[in-house]
Amino acid sequence: MAEVLVVTSKIKKLIKEQGMRTSADVIEALSQMVEAKAKEAVERAKAAGKKTVQASDLA
């Protein structure tokens, strides 16, 4: 399992509030998605000559 980049308790609570249960692999999958998106944002910021990743780089 890779490093967890999301708050497990918050994700489980969010899903539970929707009347659903959380499977064991959801947290790892979300963490992988967050990591990939963050890396993409870093590349966009670098390509734009910036040293700070901004919300607009996540698009």
Side-chain angles (χ1 to χ4, degrees):
M1 183 169 165
E3 182 178 5
V4 175
L5 300 176
V6 297
V7 179
T8 302
S9 62
K10 300 283 187 181
I11 297 299
K12 286 185 174 186
K13 180 181 176 197
L14 174 74
I15 292 171
K16 187 175 184 176
E17 288 172 348
Q18 304 303 309
M20 302 292 289
R21 293 182 297 206
T22 307
S23 72
D25 58 351
V26 167
I27 302 304
E28 184 173 352
L30 278 172
S31 289
Q32 290 172 353
M33 293 170 70
V34 167
E35 181 178 5
K37 197 66 171 174
K39 287 180 178 180
E40 290 173 12
V42 167
E43 291 306 314
R44 283 191 192 96
K46 283 181 180 179
K50 299 188 292 183
K51 293 189 178 235
T52 302
V53 176
Q54 299 173 323
S56 60
D57 297 314
L58 293 169

